[in-house]
Amino acid sequence: MTDLTGKTALVTGGSRGIGRAIARRLAKEGALVAFTYASDEESAKETVASIESDGGRAFAFRAALGVPGDADGLWAEFDAAIGKHSDTPGVDILVNNAGVVGGGQIHEVTEADYDKVFAVNAKAPFFVIQKGLERLRDGGRIINISSGVTKVAFPAMTSYAASKGAIEVLTLTLAVTLGPRGITVNAVSPGTIETDIHPWMADPDAKAHAAAFSVFNRVGQPTDVADVVAFLASDDARWVTGQNIDASGGSGLGI
């Protein structure tokens, strides 16, 4: 167990899937969790309700990412809401989880598709961090969600993999930049995770094929990733920075 009592966390894209699991886990450890959602207000309300039913504290707000002014808009919404839930402004833990999947080999990717993937997956986290630095307390944590597709060649997701590669380099760079403030910056790279963005997993054969990539012969669950994030958010990880933690269940090790 990692004690995050008295900490405030902000998770982007926290209403569903991996983001929801992260929000729930950080709240379970005592943090006040703010999280964003893109459009599904009902799922956001369900996530808040599930956290509160477990004795935690959370609030959600809508923030569109991948559009001009997205980082400024996100922090304006956070600033407007935090006073209703805490006497202390600012944030201790920032988890850049929100992202979009972009498929296609290089000859199949349009410029518009590429721009959307990079706007959400690479540009938005960059400026969310930049605009948030004055709100992020010394000794804080930044955790960027990357992907296992940066570890092996995956031509079917060329632009997505490239956008996540950008996040990993940003993580490494910021670890040096923010080290003097005691802020750690790390990335977590999941493999295939069973969430509603993968409807194809309803096919037993497709799910078994995905499971075979892991040495454990199963697909990952959102909690598998959330547990790693909780560790990086804790004081136990105070001496870990600039790292990309593989949370893929050993996917691709036998390739």
Side-chain angles (χ1 to χ4, degrees):
M1 300 292 286
T2 54
D3 185 11
L4 300 178
T5 302
K7 305 291 187 181
T8 298
L10 173 59
V11 181
T12 63
S15 64
R16 300 185 302 165
I18 293 173
R20 173 181 282 185
I22 292 170
R24 294 190 65 182
R25 178 61 197 273
L26 297 181
K28 181 180 179 181
E29 300 303 336
L32 166 63
V33 178
F35 67 88
T36 72
Y37 65 94
S39 59
D40 192 346
E41 184 177 3
E42 190 60 34
S43 291
K45 289 179 178 179
E46 291 172 0
T47 301
V48 170
S50 69
I51 289 172
E52 291 179 343
S53 68
D54 289 336
R57 297 186 301 146
F59 65 94
F61 60 95
R62 187 176 184 277
L65 298 179
V67 297
D70 51 5
D72 284 322
L74 180 151
W75 285 112
E77 291 292 331
F78 175 84
D79 291 342
I82 188 64
K84 303 173 185 176
H85 304 274
S86 173
D87 294 330
T88 308
V91 66
D92 301 282
I93 302 159
L94 172 60
V95 183
N96 287 299
N97 165 75
V100 294
V101 177
Q105 297 189 42
I106 189 166
H107 62 280
E108 299 169 317
V109 177
T110 67
E111 189 171 351
D113 292 337
Y114 178 96
D115 287 345
K116 179 180 179 180
V117 168
F118 267 79
V120 177
N121 295 355
K123 183 178 179 181
F126 184 103
F127 286 100
V128 167
I129 293 170
Q130 183 199 73
K131 304 293 185 179
L133 286 178
E134 63 186 33
R135 298 168 176 89
L136 187 64
R137 287 187 272 275
D138 290 353
R141 303 284 186 264
I142 297 175
I143 302 159
N144 299 317
I145 303 302
S146 184
S147 171
V149 298
T150 64
K151 302 290 193 301
V152 295
F154 204 84
M157 300 182 75
T158 302
S159 61
Y160 176 78
S163 72
K164 291 300 186 178
I167 278 295
E168 292 179 7
V169 175
L170 177 64
T171 298
L172 186 65
T173 303
L174 291 182
V176 176
T177 303
L178 300 179
R181 291 183 55 190
I183 296 170
T184 68
V185 189
N186 292 289
V188 177
S189 289
T192 303
I193 304 297
E194 189 170 11
T195 70
D196 59 6
I197 68 167
H198 296 308
W200 52 265
M201 282 196 192
D203 179 347
D205 291 336
K207 186 174 180 179
H209 177 73
F213 284 104
S214 166
V215 298
F216 303 119
N217 196 35
R218 71 168 176 88
V219 296
Q221 298 300 311
T223 53
D224 293 326
V225 182
D227 291 347
V228 177
V229 172
F231 163 70
L232 291 174
S234 75
D235 188 58
D236 290 344
R238 62 192 175 277
W239 206 235
V240 179
T241 196
Q243 302 304 302
N244 182 4
I245 309 300
D246 185 288
S248 71
S251 292
L253 288 180
I255 295 177

